[in-house]
Amino acid sequence: MTARVENVVTSGVFELDGGRWDVDNNVWLIGDDREVFVIDAAHDADAIAGAIGDRVVRAIICTHAHNDHVNAAPALSERTGAPILLHPDDRVLWDLTHSDIAPDAELEDGQILTIAGTDLSVLHTPGHAPGAVCLYSRELATVFTGDTLFSGGPGATGRSYSDFPTIVNSIRTKLFALPDATVVNTGHGQSTTIGAERANVPT
């Protein structure tokens, strides 16, 4: 029996460079009836905990450290005992939100994380943020892209610590190496597929 994917949508504010935007975030749970990973603990620890129920949370995985993706991570970690995992290149952004709390462990490109017998491969995909990562499950034919790739193309790169040529290179070298049928579960909005997004990313 393989892991399954569940989605919780939470709402709050994204803040960076002095701006504030109301946003809805996708929080992804991957696991089974006994254990789960939480991908991007956004805004509302209570709502996320409600979706988890009595399952064991093995890790809270951050696709990147913009506040709207990590603002509920410490509270959820305290509640569940789960470690928070973040790529070290995003510590500069993490510290803008949680200057007094450090992540528990570092993510690295090529790392394999296993939940409910299902492997997730960590893909370092900088551009939207320097430590942005995507999480790919070959078995589930699914990739969790955070804000690196959306339905419609690349994530935003108009703010601090982001770069458009870098995100395009990340998508083309890491994500477009995946099969076209791979489902793309994003940090905001609707899911898509790798094949559907090939025409939406510049060459």
Side-chain angles (χ1 to χ4, degrees), residues 100-200:
D100 57 339
I101 303 171
D104 297 291
E106 296 181 349
L107 296 168
E108 61 181 35
D109 189 55
Q111 182 178 357
I112 303 297
L113 305 170
T114 303
I115 190 73
T118 300
D119 290 342
L120 290 176
S121 300
V122 177
L123 309 175
H124 182 209
T125 53
H128 179 71
V133 301
C134 298
L135 302 157
Y136 173 57
S137 170
R138 181 183 303 275
E139 186 174 6
L140 299 179
T142 298
V143 63
F144 301 89
T145 57
D147 289 0
T148 294
L149 181 64
F150 292 110
S151 176
T157 55
R159 304 184 183 99
S160 294
Y161 309 108
S162 65
D163 182 73
F164 185 70
T166 301
I167 199 172
V168 169
N169 182 66
S170 291
I171 292 168
R172 292 207 157 274
T173 59
K174 297 290 185 67
L175 298 183
F176 284 178
L178 305 179
D180 280 357
T182 304
V183 174
V184 176
N185 286 329
T186 64
H188 308 271
Q190 66 186 24
S191 297
T192 181
T193 65
I194 290 296
E197 297 311 313
R198 290 188 186 277
N200 296 325

